[in-house]
Amino acid sequence: AGGDAPPVPADGPGPPPGQAPGALVRGTYDADLEALHEVVFRWLVHIATDASDHSSQSKRALLAGLPRLAPFLGPERSFHLLPMLLAFLNDRDWELRAALCRALPTVCASSGRAATERFVVPLIETALADACDGVAADALGCLVALAGTALLSRVSMLGTDVAGGDPARPKSGRRRRGLLRSVCPLLRSPSGLVRGRAVSFVLACWSVLDDADAAVSVALLAPSLRYRPVDRASPDELEACLREPEEDACAMDDFVDPVRPPSDLLGCWPDGPGVPSRQLAARRISVPGRGSSEKSSGGFAWYGAMHLAHVEDPTLSSPLFAVGLPAVQKVYGLTMDPVPNSCNSILIHKPDEEELAGIVGRKEDVPPETCGRFLTRPAVRVAESAARGQWGSAAFVDQLVPENSAVHAKLDALGVPPLPPALGRCRGPPVRREEQQRRSAWTPRRDALVATASEHGGPVNRISVSDDQTFFVSASDDGTSRVFELMSVADSGGDMRSRLTYHGHDETARVNNCTILKNTHSVATGCSKGTVHVWRVDTTTSQQTNQTKRTRVSGQSLVRSVDPGEGEVMALSQFYTSSASVVTYATQRGTIHTLDLRTAREPFALRLFPETGSVTDIQIGADQNWLVAGTRGGFLSLFDLRYHNCVKLWRHGRASPIKRLSAVLGAGASGASSRPLVFAGCDGDETALFDLASGGCLQCYRVLDQSLTYVDRSALPKSSLSIPQLEDVAIPSKQSSRLVPSYDLMRRSRPQTGYAVNAVVGNINAQGSSFLLTGSDSQVRCWNLNSTSKSCCVSGLSLNQPPPSFEQVKVGGNSRLILCRQPSAPPSNLVEGSKLPQYRRQGVVGCDKGHTDSILDLKIAKAPAVVLSASRDNTVKLWA
């Protein structure tokens, strides 16, 4: 019973799990803290890797809390979290990219210098070239903070060619460009915030570098400096030594910079004391926007043919590699700093260039065999290999190839398109103030016929007016398009003659549509054979008087021709933004194609459901974000051009075919930039303003049948007093799925009855907003949006026919209905003799001014102020 007790270890019993050895107080604090670290870290990983569309705000909140989270997580977990955070630089939200640059110094302080220079610094260099100035400024602020906390080494600031190898990684062999060299172009940025942050980073580097390294860094900054700054200059003193800021905000620093030895850098100095031994080749390339490309378009006329040949046969080299630096500048519209000893000739032989120019000068197409012979030259292959990084012996023998390959590689990597071909610039004469006031108060009058063009041999389907009011173009079933000068209306004597006829389409084809590209003199036409032609109208300017000049049409030339092989071209339009100008056209198969004249590849294509019927018209919104297509089945398809998909599909409540569409423009459409509002002309002589976002009808303009002219409003049929409605059609998840059952389509389809509205055009002036409607009844009506009593009939009434009356009907809600009662012409035995036409009283027979068949299109010209109408009777009439 009194046995010995078990022996006790000399160091006492072991601590419980989760407690440090030697602790006086027993607890689980360390285990709980580790578990909390793991839970928080998992939440952070979940937020950082969230790829949903609404994750940007939560990610910015995560970055805002990093100053407290980094010390809590510790160095190890902060290092594991760093790659996930760096992925934010690829996000489309510029605020998230800027927030990451502001938060990185905190994470780098926990991760250390090695991780910072290996992972963070390369990505910050990428952020310096961000398109948003705010992101570039915050990236520079991050570098300032890293330099102030001694997280940047001498090699990271100056580069391996100046500072030597990396002492931390002596065997890596990696060559660094240097942050000062990357920041140098930002000292001439158009943004004052970016320039100020760049100056702060340079001063932060000078504060940690010794005097010798600071002198070398001044040489690195030479391309952006006008004078040599004093030692340890202040921010104001350094800014006073900078060159003037670049005017082009699209300027980008060249990523491929030739490596110079330190001995060359020390002697380099522009515009300063002493003779420079060699200029730094830190080239800057400015890519033009759409506005500047329109002014400088042209280049080599044969470059487009070579580009098309390369797209059709990918085995051929790109024509980009077939030209030298001067030709690249002309073809792509680039602005580059001059490079010493650059190649001033084209890599293809000079006789070949003259042969190509001669073929184009004779208005002939360059054959694909000729393009293939040029693009397979050995010199072109060498240039392509050098740009792709496949350096061979030929690249070292020819000293001019490296100078070209740096620019070629950058253009090829960024996908910069060449300039579009010369499309003809609008250069209308200046308009006097009195003329502007007269135009602003202009409204069309009744039966004020100015001139008639009757040269076409078939119905005139469409007309289009140039932006500078120089000419208008007509498209007809006779297979031709004619160009008429608007300034010749006053000299026509009522019989207007065309200045030019385009016969480019097939002789048996019908030209269904035409449109003049915005701010150019180029015309896009589509025919029944399925081809789309873009051709330029050449003009010359002649001195008419001492003060005025007159622009005359002198010729035409084909720019581009495409044939998708999908039947007739049903509609044409243009997608026009600050960065793109794309021709859109709809085919008989229900596909909306796009054509960018800068490239041979199609930017995108939109497809309609086959159950909706053939396309009748397409219209692009005022903000260029949406496109609506109308069909013969009464469907309206709304597409989002930013994502290239159909977001809404509506069908007319009475299954009425959509004849014509017109987007809402002008001061009366304050929501046109955010809401898809369109006028839709339909059967039954009816036009409605629809909001395609909600499907509601805001306004309806209807012409009653002549048999209902004198019927009291209370006795009118319900169909005459009802507002048209749009029915929402569910869009199937798969394009191959059927839209609606076929029996429903057959049941809902109705035959065409009465007249139809074929054209809608708006007229915005100082007196108010109005728009013109016309259709198969051969009449042009002007509907005033502000005052119903000011509406009138512009043309189409017979000589003794009473004018129409317009009235507004209350239908409830926000919608309104406006009716037009058009009385018929009374019999001659009921009209006084003084009011009869002259031919009834055996006098001089008067001229019938109106169209004798349905009107197919309307346009408004501003100089001179006239309304143009195209009809099925083969004529185009101008009304004042």
Side-chain angles (χ1 to χ4, degrees):
D4 296 336
V8 179
D11 53 354
Q19 181 176 337
L24 298 179
V25 180
R26 299 177 181 270
T28 59
Y29 174 79
D30 292 336
D32 294 342
L33 182 61
E34 183 68 20
L36 181 60
H37 281 166
E38 187 66 24
V39 171
V40 173
F41 182 74
R42 288 182 180 180
W43 274 105
L44 295 179
V45 171
H46 175 72
I47 296 174
T49 57
D50 187 6
S52 59
D53 297 336
H54 55 274
S55 62
S56 179
Q57 295 183 354
S58 59
K59 292 178 180 178
R60 291 203 298 267
L62 167 63
L63 295 175
L66 273 183
R68 297 182 298 273
L69 289 172
F72 171 75
L73 294 175
E76 183 177 356
R77 286 191 172 86
S78 298
F79 177 78
H80 289 300
L81 186 63
L82 183 60
M84 306 175 195
L85 299 179
L86 294 178
F88 292 175
L89 284 177
N90 298 325
D91 198 274
R92 291 186 295 179
D93 186 5
W94 70 270
E95 295 182 352
L96 178 61
R97 302 197 301 270
L100 174 64
C101 295
R102 293 192 297 267
L104 277 178
T106 303
V107 184
C108 294
S110 301
S111 302
R113 175 189 284 187
T116 300
E117 293 192 339
R118 184 173 182 181
F119 301 108
V120 178
V121 171
L123 293 180
I124 291 297
E125 287 188 87
T126 304
L128 295 178
D130 197 282
C132 180
D133 291 338
V135 178
D138 288 330
L140 289 169
C142 176
L143 293 179
V144 172
L146 295 179
T149 53
L151 292 176
L152 296 179
S153 64
R154 173 174 173 267
V155 177
S156 298
M157 298 179 189
L158 300 177
T160 55
D161 57 326
V162 176
D166 190 352
R169 304 175 64 194
K171 298 182 180 181
S172 62
R174 181 183 176 186
R175 312 191 75 175
R176 297 187 182 182
R177 187 166 182 249
L179 291 173
L180 285 172
R181 196 182 300 234
S182 300
V183 173
C184 173
L186 300 180
L187 293 172
R188 300 180 62 187
S189 172
S191 173
L193 179 62
V194 175
R195 290 198 308 273
R197 296 284 178 86
V199 169
S200 300
F201 174 71
V202 172
L203 296 179
C205 292
W206 287 353
S207 63
V208 297
L209 295 174
D210 54 21
D211 295 339
D213 290 337
V216 175
S217 66
V218 170
L220 292 174
L221 303 175
S224 297
L225 296 177
R226 181 183 302 173
Y227 309 109
R228 181 189 294 273
V230 297
D231 296 338
R232 309 297 178 178
S234 63
D236 295 338
E237 293 174 344
L238 181 56
E239 289 185 4
C241 297
L242 297 179
R243 292 179 179 270
E244 294 295 330
E246 294 282 350
E247 295 182 359
D248 191 354
C250 298
M252 298 173 292
D253 183 32
D254 193 354
F255 296 119
V256 183
D257 188 17
V259 177
R260 306 295 188 192
S263 58
D264 287 344
L265 291 175
L266 293 177
C268 168
W269 190 254
D271 299 343
V275 179
S277 61
R278 199 167 187 181
Q279 182 181 3
L280 279 175
R283 289 192 299 275
R284 298 174 60 85
I285 300 179
S286 301
V287 180
R290 189 211 61 227
S292 58
S293 66
E294 290 174 353
K295 298 179 181 179
S296 59
S297 61
F300 296 101
W302 43 263
Y303 190 85
M306 299 179 68
H307 184 64
L308 293 175
H310 164 67
V311 173
E312 295 175 357
D313 187 4
T315 60
L316 299 177
S317 299
S318 172
L320 167 66
F321 307 112
V323 294
L325 287 182
V328 167
Q329 290 182 260
K330 188 174 182 180
V331 171
Y332 285 81
L334 305 178
T335 303
M336 296 184 295
D337 291 342
V339 181
N341 300 326
S342 61
C343 181
N344 293 320
S345 61
I346 301 175
L347 294 183
I348 62 175
H349 299 307
K350 192 68 175 180
D352 298 331
E353 179 197 353
E354 296 176 354
E355 177 186 350
L356 284 171
I359 294 176
V360 176
R362 295 191 300 268
K363 305 296 178 66
E364 299 178 14
D365 295 333
V366 181
E369 296 79 8
T370 305
C371 296
R373 188 175 78 249
F374 294 148
L375 297 179
T376 54
R377 290 291 175 84
V380 179
R381 296 296 188 184
V382 169
E384 182 178 13
S385 301
R388 305 289 188 192
Q390 303 170 1
W391 294 92
S393 58
F396 290 102
V397 172
D398 189 352
Q399 299 298 325
L400 300 178
V401 171
E403 298 290 348
N404 297 337
S405 61
V407 179
H408 290 164
K410 184 172 184 179
L411 294 178
D412 186 52
L414 296 179
V416 178
L419 289 178
L423 301 177
R425 292 174 53 192
C426 292
R427 46 172 186 254
V431 182
R432 298 180 180 179
R433 181 176 301 178
E434 296 81 5
E435 181 69 15
Q436 286 183 344
Q437 294 176 355
R438 187 183 68 83
R439 295 179 190 175
S440 62
W442 174 80
T443 53
R445 297 173 294 173
R446 175 181 174 180
D447 284 340
L449 182 62
V450 177
T452 301
S454 56
E455 293 181 286
H456 280 292
V460 183
N461 299 315
R462 292 291 185 271
I463 48 180
S464 184
V465 183
S466 63
D467 287 346
D468 58 357
Q469 312 298 306
T470 303
F471 60 89
F472 72 91
V473 180
S474 60
S476 173
D477 276 359
D478 61 2
T480 64
S481 297
R482 295 183 180 271
V483 181
F484 300 85
E485 291 182 354
L486 281 170
M487 296 301 295
S488 63
V489 174
D491 305 332
S492 63
D495 186 14
M496 198 168 184
R497 296 293 176 178
S498 62
R499 292 280 301 176
L500 180 67
T501 304
Y502 180 72
H503 297 276
H505 293 283
D506 192 276
E507 296 180 356
T508 60
R510 305 183 309 274
V511 183
N512 295 332
N513 214 317
C514 69
T515 182
I516 299 179
L517 304 187
K518 192 173 182 60
N519 293 335
T520 69
H521 282 172
S522 292
V523 186
T525 55
C527 72
S528 59
K529 295 294 185 179
T531 59
V532 175
H533 287 188
V534 179
W535 46 283
R536 182 179 66 251
V537 177
D538 299 326
T539 58
T540 58
T541 303
S542 59
Q543 190 79 21
Q544 188 176 11
T545 62
N546 294 332
Q547 288 83 13
T548 62
K549 294 182 179 181
R550 183 171 179 177
T551 302
R552 305 299 302 269
V553 175
S554 60
Q556 55 85 20
S557 56
L558 180 63
V559 176
R560 186 80 171 273
S561 175
V562 294
D563 184 5
E566 298 183 2
E568 294 191 26
V569 177
M570 310 300 296
L572 272 173
S573 186
Q574 185 186 11
F575 174 77
Y576 187 85
T577 64
S578 58
S579 59
S581 178
V582 180
V583 178
T584 59
Y585 59 98
T587 61
Q588 194 174 7
R589 290 189 182 179
T591 304
I592 301 176
H593 293 277
T594 54
L595 171 63
D596 191 345
L597 298 178
R598 299 175 301 175
T599 177
R601 296 181 177 88
E602 186 176 42
F604 60 90
L606 308 174
R607 291 173 176 81
L608 281 74
F609 293 95
E611 296 89 347
T612 60
S614 59
V615 181
T616 55
D617 196 14
I618 57 176
Q619 190 68 225
I620 297 178
D623 56 359
Q624 308 295 312
N625 289 333
W626 53 270
L627 179 146
V628 59
T631 65
R632 295 188 185 277
F635 288 88
L636 291 170
S637 303
L638 179 65
F639 292 90
D640 192 331
L641 293 179
R642 296 168 296 183
Y643 304 102
H644 305 159
N645 58 353
C646 183
V647 295
K648 282 288 185 180
L649 183 61
W650 306 96
R651 192 180 189 190
H652 198 280
R654 294 194 297 271
S656 174
I658 307 299
K659 296 292 187 178
R660 182 58 71 90
L661 298 172
S662 178
V664 174
L665 301 173
S670 58
S673 60
S674 58
R675 300 168 59 193
L677 304 179
V678 293
F679 280 107
C682 309
D683 283 348
D685 225 346
E686 172 187 287
T687 302
L689 175 62
F690 291 115
D691 183 356
L692 297 184
S694 61
C697 178
L698 305 180
Q699 300 171 7
C700 179
Y701 303 86
R702 182 179 295 134
V703 180
L704 297 179
D705 188 81
Q706 292 185 353
S707 60
L708 303 175
T709 300
Y710 300 103
V711 178
D712 188 73
R713 183 187 300 177
S714 59
L716 289 174
K718 293 184 178 180
S719 59
S720 301
L721 298 176
S722 62
I723 292 291
Q725 300 295 329
L726 293 180
E727 299 177 357
D728 191 6
V729 180
I731 302 176
S733 57
K734 296 181 179 179
Q735 185 73 20
S736 59
S737 303
R738 292 191 62 85
L739 190 60
V740 291
S742 58
Y743 70 86
D744 186 47
L745 285 175
M746 298 298 296
R747 178 176 59 85
R748 295 288 310 283
S749 299
R750 296 184 181 182
Q752 178 178 351
T753 58
Y755 295 116
V757 176
N758 295 331
V760 183
V761 62
N763 178 33
I764 311 299
N765 53 43
Q767 305 299 326
S769 302
S770 63
F771 66 95
L772 304 176
L773 297 178
T774 188
S776 55
D777 59 355
S778 306
Q779 295 184 4
V780 180
R781 297 181 179 89
C782 178
W783 301 71
N784 193 292
L785 302 182
N786 299 328
S787 177
T788 306
S789 59
K790 295 182 180 180
S791 302
C792 63
C793 184
V794 177
S795 71
L797 298 179
S798 59
L799 297 178
N800 62 333
Q801 188 174 4
S805 61
F806 299 83
E807 58 180 309
Q808 183 172 346
V809 182
K810 295 182 180 180
V811 293
N814 297 327
S815 303
R816 69 171 183 170
L817 172 65
I818 300 178
L819 300 178
C820 173
R821 298 175 183 263
Q822 179 61 66
S824 59
S828 58
N829 58 353
L830 300 179
V831 182
E832 299 180 8
S834 60
K835 297 182 179 180
L836 281 175
Q838 293 182 358
Y839 75 93
R840 293 286 188 182
R841 293 183 278 117
Q842 305 301 321
V844 179
V845 178
C847 176
D848 188 6
K849 299 180 180 179
H851 289 283
T852 59
D853 206 337
S854 61
I855 302 176
L856 302 179
D857 198 12
L858 277 180
K859 288 295 185 293
I860 295 178
K862 300 179 182 179
V866 291
V867 177
L868 295 87
S869 59
S871 173
R872 199 183 295 275
D873 60 4
N874 308 349
T875 62
V876 177
K877 293 182 180 290
L878 285 75
W879 310 86

